[in-house]
Amino acid sequence: MNKILVLEDDLALSAGLCFELDSQGYLTVAAYNCQKARQLLAGDAFDLALLDVNLPDGSGLTFLEEVRGRLPVILLTANDWETDIVAGLEL
């Protein structure tokens, strides 16, 4: 079973993502801020991380820099700023 970290501060969106992924056989663990996501990663192994860009205690892009090379990441955001798109692709 693949274990997915969902780092999303919108509770409804996080719940929806986790529900759909869980119903497809994945195991999801939700974190609503970077601090909690760091704690989860320190204590457990994940196969994938879904990251929001705008978070209450930091940026998903900064978090991506921290975990780059440790696990695959998919960025999810409502942002359509060119700088965020380019930064996400570069990371």
Side-chain angles (χ1 to χ4, degrees), residues 52-55 59 61 76-85:
D52 186 11
V53 171
N54 297 317
L55 296 160
S59 165
L61 295 172
L76 302 174
T77 184
N79 288 354
D80 63 353
W81 301 326
E82 186 175 330
T83 55
D84 281 351
I85 294 168

Side-chain angles (χ1 to χ4, degrees), residues 22-34:
D22 290 343
S23 71
Q24 296 300 313
Y26 298 98
L27 175 62
T28 58
V29 178
Y32 305 110
N33 58 52
C34 294

Side-chain angles (χ1 to χ4, degrees), residues 37 70 75:
R70 291 175 46 194
L75 289 171

Side-chain angles (χ1 to χ4, degrees), residues 6-8 13 17 21 49-55 60 73-79:
V6 178
L7 177 51
E8 169 60 61
L13 181 54
L17 287 167
L21 290 165
L50 297 179
L51 307 180
D52 186 11
V53 171
N54 297 317
L55 296 160
V73 171
I74 297 174
L75 289 171
L76 302 174
T77 184
N79 288 354

